Amino acid sequence: MPPRDSPRILGVGGSPRRGGNTDLLLDRILEGAASAGAEVESVHLRDYTIEACTGCERCRKDLTCTRFFDGMHLLYPKLEGAQGLVIGSPTYNYNVTSMTKSFIDRLYPYYTFTGERPGGGYSSRLAGAGRAALVFSVCEQTDISEMGFTLEALSMPLEALGYEVAERFPVTGIFERGAVRRHEEIMDAAYEAGRRFARQIMAR
C-alpha cells in the first residue's frame, strides 16, 4: 500500500473502446505512478452517463451542476480529492472523443466569475492547490500533425482550471485494439511518464 501521505492521482480514460490502446496506456502510466509511491485510481468515461453541457449557467450561482444529476456527480469528488490527473483520449477527427469533451465541459462549475459579461474575469476553485495533470492521446496516423487539436483540447481547459500540465504524451501509428501492447518501447515510456509525474507531484 502507498504511504498515508502519498499523493492521489486520478486516471480518466476517454475511449469508448474497452480494452483498447487508451485503456492500456492509462493503466501503464498509473502503474508507473504507483511505483513511485502515489495512490492511484482509474475511471473510464464510457461507464458513466454524462450529459452534454447546455450552457444554462445555473452553476455560476449553485457552484455545481444542477441542470443534470448524472455520472459527473460521482466524478466531481474524485477529481477534487486528487492532486494529480491523468487523462487520455484517442484522436477522433483531429480532436478528443465526444465523451471526453462532455467531461471537460462539465468542469465549468469550478469557475468563479468576477466581472460582468462579456469579457469579465474568472478564477478556478481548483487552483492554488498544486494540482498537476498529464495528458495523452493515441492516433492511428504516424504523422503527429494528424493528431490535430487533441492534446491542446485536453491541456488548455485544465490549465485554465489551475492545473499545471506537467507532460503531454502523444502516441502515433497505433490503431488495432491492444496493438500498443506489442510496442515495448511505448509501454516503457508510458510507465516512466507516470513515475516521473508522481515524483513531480511529490516534490511540490
Side-chain angles (χ1 to χ4, degrees), residues 17 19 27 32 36 38-39 49 55 86 91 95 102 119 129 140 147 154 166 170 193:
R17 185 162 65 172
D27 288 346
E39 179 184 348
T49 298
V86 176
T91 296
N95 213 320
S102 291
E140 175 185 1
M147 192 169 280
L154 293 168

Side-chain angles (χ1 to χ4, degrees), residues 7-164:
R8 297 193 65 224
I9 295 177
L10 176 67
V12 176
S15 175
R17 185 162 65 172
R18 190 177 303 275
N21 298 306
T22 301
D23 287 12
L24 293 172
L25 287 167
L26 180 62
D27 288 346
R28 191 62 172 155
I29 291 169
L30 293 181
E31 284 176 22
S35 76
E39 179 184 348
V40 302
E41 178 184 7
S42 64
V43 297
H44 296 280
L45 298 180
R46 62 176 175 267
D47 296 330
Y48 295 80
T49 298
I50 300 176
E51 299 288 345
C53 176
T54 65
C56 72
E57 301 284 324
R58 290 184 190 178
C59 59
R60 293 186 69 175
K61 175 176 66 70
D62 299 335
L63 304 183
T64 190
C65 181
T66 54
R67 172 67 176 82
F68 301 110
F69 189 79
D70 58 10
M72 281 303 294
H73 290 274
L74 301 175
L75 296 175
Y76 287 140
K78 295 179 184 293
L79 192 74
E80 293 164 13
Q83 192 174 359
L85 174 65
V86 176
I87 181 168
S89 170
T91 296
Y92 275 27
N93 202 17
Y94 300 97
N95 213 320
V96 296
T97 61
S98 60
M99 63 182 69
T100 306
K101 183 62 165 66
S102 291
F103 171 79
I104 290 172
D105 287 349
R106 292 285 300 282
L107 299 180
Y108 191 72
Y110 288 114
Y111 288 114
T112 300
F113 293 91
T114 57
E116 295 297 322
R117 303 182 77 174
Y122 64 88
S123 61
S124 167
R125 297 196 308 282
L126 293 176
R131 288 186 167 88
L134 185 158
V135 304
F136 71 94
S137 183
V138 191
C139 179
E140 175 185 1
Q141 283 72 28
T142 56
D143 186 343
I144 195 169
S145 69
E146 297 289 333
M147 192 169 280
F149 311 103
T150 310
L151 293 178
E152 287 80 3
L154 293 168
S155 300
M156 294 177 69
L158 295 179
E159 289 171 335
L161 285 164
Y163 286 84
E164 176 191 348

Side-chain angles (χ1 to χ4, degrees), residues 2-9 32-40 83-84 130-132 194-204:
R4 291 182 62 185
D5 59 348
S6 62
R8 297 193 65 224
I9 295 177
S35 76
E39 179 184 348
V40 302
Q83 192 174 359
R131 288 186 167 88
R195 188 174 178 84
R196 186 165 55 246
F197 180 55
R199 286 176 169 171
Q200 289 173 343
I201 293 175
M202 294 163 73
R204 290 169 178 266

